[in-house]
Amino acid sequence: MPALFHLVKHLRSGGWRKQRLLYGVAVMIFFFALGDSILTYIMPLLIVASGFSDTAMGLIIGSSSLVGAVFDILASRYLRRPHYRRLYLAVLILTGLFAFLLFQAQIIWIYLMAMAVWGIYWDIFHFANYDFVSRIKVKDDDAAEFGVLD
C-alpha cells in the first residue's frame, strides 16, 4: 500500500506535469503489455490446436529465446545509434507481424518464424526502454523511471 500512497502524493503535488512524456510512454507500454500478454496466452493454445505435441510446443516457444540471444549479439554490433522512437515503432510493426504469423501458421516453419519475430521484438522493446530512460532522465532517478515503465 505504500506505493499507492506515494502515487497519490505524487499526483497531488503535480510531479506528473514535469514528466508527461514518461507517463505517456508508460500508458503506451501498458497497452503493449496487455496485447502481448493476450498473444502469449493464445500462443500455446494455437500450437497445440494445430496438432503439435506438448514437447514440440515447448521447443517451438523456446526457439524465441535462442533467436533473441543471437539478435542481442548482432544488435550490439550493428545497432550503433538507436533512438527510442524508431525502436518503439519497430516493436509495434513486429508485434503486428508476430500476430499475423501466429494466426496464419499451420506448419512448424511458420511457427518458428513467429517465435523468431517474438524474440526479436521483445529484445528491441527492452532496448527502446533503456534508450528512453537514458534520454529523458531528469536527475539520478533511473530506478524510479524504470519503475514507472515496468
Side-chain angles (χ1 to χ4, degrees):
M1 243 15 204
L4 182 62
F5 292 127
H6 176 75
L7 175 67
V8 170
K9 180 181 168 187
H10 183 69
L11 291 176
R12 284 187 181 162
S13 71
W16 63 274
R17 288 188 191 106
K18 297 175 189 169
Q19 295 184 339
R20 286 186 185 185
L21 184 60
L22 175 67
Y23 291 109
V25 169
V27 169
M28 179 190 74
I29 288 174
F30 170 75
F31 287 111
F32 169 76
L34 185 64
D36 185 62
S37 63
I38 291 170
L39 287 174
T40 304
Y41 176 77
I42 292 173
M43 180 178 26
L45 301 175
L46 290 174
I47 293 172
V48 171
S50 293
F52 295 104
S53 67
D54 291 344
T55 305
M57 176 189 61
L59 291 173
I60 290 170
I61 294 173
S63 68
S64 70
S65 297
L66 181 64
V67 171
V70 170
F71 179 76
D72 283 341
I73 295 168
L74 295 175
S76 68
R77 184 173 187 138
Y78 296 112
L79 194 62
R80 292 291 179 202
R81 284 183 265 162
H83 195 278
Y84 66 90
R85 290 179 184 164
R86 287 190 303 249
L87 294 175
Y88 282 137
L89 180 63
V91 166
L92 293 175
I93 291 169
L94 289 174
T95 303
L97 179 63
F98 170 64
F100 175 76
L101 287 173
L102 188 64
F103 286 110
Q104 298 301 318
Q106 294 297 321
I107 59 173
I108 194 164
W109 300 111
I110 305 297
Y111 280 116
L112 290 174
M113 283 177 36
M115 295 303 109
V117 170
W118 188 34
I120 290 170
Y121 89 68
W122 194 248
D123 283 343
I124 292 175
F125 172 67
H126 289 292
F127 291 157
N129 286 344
Y130 294 139
D131 186 60
F132 177 75
V133 169
S134 72
R135 288 180 191 265
I136 66 139
K137 73 177 178 181
V138 177
K139 48 186 176 177
D140 294 330
D141 277 345
D142 288 348
E145 291 166 355
F146 276 117
V148 170
L149 292 181
D150 286 339

